[in-house]
Amino acid sequence: MRRLFPVTDQTPASPRDRADREWSLDELADAYAYPSLGPDGHWLRANMVSTLDGAAQHDGRSQPISGETDMKIFGTLRALADVVVVGAETVRREGYRPARAREAFAARREAAGQGPAPAIAVVTARMDLDFSLPLFTSPLVPTLVVTGATAPADRVAEAVKAGAEVVVAGDGAAVDPARAVRELAGRGLRRQLTEGGPRLLGQFVAADALDELCLTISPMLAAGDAQRIAGGPSVTVPHRLAPASVLEEAGFLFTSYRRI
C-alpha cells in the first residue's frame, strides 16, 4: 500500500518503507485513529465504497465493488469504533451479523476503555426487522434499535424481548439524525461509524451531523442506475470537507475527508 497524501498528524513517520509491503493492522489503526474527543465530544465517520462512475452498489450489494484491502480497512474502522450505525434496509440487504471481537485489536480497545467489540445500532422508523436473527438474539454487545417515539409498540416490545436496547431519537416515527448521534454519545458510544446505506448517509449529511467520510474509490465502472453513496434530502449549500489522507493499493484509492 502506498501513501499518496499525509494521513494525519497521528500517523507514524517514514512511509517510504511501506511502499512495497502490506501495512500492518496496527499501522492502519494508527492511520485511522479517531481524533481526540473532549468530555462531551463525539465523532461520526462514514465508510463507503464507490465505483469510478459513482455506483455505491452492484446488484444491490456493495461487496462486488469492494476488494481485499477495502475489507481490511472496513474491519479496522469497525475495530476502532464504539458503535456501528446502519440503516434497516442495509441490515436486510447485506445480511448483517453482530460485530465480533478481534484479538488483533483487543489491547487497543482495552486501553481506550472500549468493550471487546462495537455495538451495532440499527436505525429504523417502521421497526420492520427480523428480531430472531443473531444480530439481535446473540450479539457479543447488545444491539441497539434507534427509532422514533411513535414507532409501532408491538415491534418495540418484540425488539426488547429479543434482547435489543431501544433508543428513541425522534418525536414522531422518523429518526432525527443529529439527535441519534447525541443519544448514542450519551450512552458512552462517542466514536461512531456509519456504514450506510445511502439513504441513512444522506440523512446524516443533510443534518450536518457527519464529521468524516472514509471513501474507497473502486477502479470499476458499473453504469446502470445504482445508488450513489448518499441519497435522500439535498442540502442548501454543499458541505465542503478537507482531505485528510489518500492511500492506494491495486488501483483502489482509500480516501478520508474531514469536517473543516
Side-chain angles (χ1 to χ4, degrees):
M1 180 180 292
R2 295 188 299 137
R3 188 173 79 164
L4 305 182
F5 188 89
V7 180
T8 67
D9 291 340
Q10 299 166 324
T11 304
S14 302
R16 188 176 304 157
D17 66 347
R18 305 178 191 183
D20 298 317
R21 67 174 177 83
E22 184 176 0
W23 281 30
S24 70
L25 290 178
D26 275 339
E27 287 171 329
L28 282 176
D30 287 339
Y32 284 101
Y34 279 81
S36 179
L37 302 176
D40 299 319
H42 47 73
W43 188 267
L44 174 65
R45 69 169 28 145
N47 181 33
M48 301 292 284
V49 59
S50 170
T51 63
L52 295 172
D53 54 347
Q57 303 164 339
H58 183 66
D59 286 339
R61 300 178 66 241
S62 60
Q63 189 276 333
I65 63 173
S66 181
E68 182 179 350
T69 303
D70 183 45
M71 295 309 298
K72 187 174 181 179
I73 291 176
F74 171 93
T76 299
L77 293 178
R78 276 196 164 201
L80 297 173
D82 296 326
V83 61
V84 177
V85 188
V86 63
E89 177 63 22
T90 298
V91 167
R92 290 189 290 266
R93 184 169 297 190
E94 300 279 355
Y96 261 60
R97 299 184 62 82
R100 59 188 178 90
R102 298 184 61 187
E103 182 61 31
F105 297 98
R108 185 181 291 265
R109 290 188 64 87
E110 184 177 3
Q114 297 172 299
I120 303 292
V122 184
V123 178
T124 174
R126 296 179 299 167
M127 304 285 288
D128 184 17
L129 296 162
D130 182 354
F131 293 114
S132 68
L133 294 175
L135 177 61
F136 302 102
T137 61
S138 57
L140 189 61
V141 180
T143 295
L144 301 102
V145 177
V146 184
T147 191
T150 63
D154 59 330
R155 301 301 295 158
V156 171
E158 191 71 20
V160 173
K161 181 180 178 181
E165 178 183 350
V166 176
V167 178
V168 175
D171 295 330
V175 172
D176 177 336
R179 181 172 166 184
V181 169
R182 295 193 301 270
E183 291 288 344
L184 293 172
R187 287 164 169 76
L189 305 173
R190 302 192 299 141
R191 304 174 190 89
Q192 302 173 4
L193 169 68
T194 180
E195 296 169 350
R199 185 183 306 171
L200 179 61
L201 178 56
Q203 292 171 352
F204 281 129
V205 171
D208 196 20
L210 188 70
D211 298 297
E212 180 181 0
L213 172 63
C214 296
L215 175 64
T216 294
I217 301 174
S218 172
M220 302 180 189
L221 295 170
D225 57 358
Q227 287 182 292
R228 297 159 44 197
I229 64 166
S234 62
V235 297
T236 304
V237 178
H239 300 164
R240 181 161 184 168
L241 304 179
S245 70
V246 181
L247 307 176
E248 185 273 341
E249 174 74 19
F252 285 80
L253 296 181
F254 307 98
T255 72
S256 173
Y257 292 84
R258 289 188 170 186
R259 177 190 293 276
I260 297 175

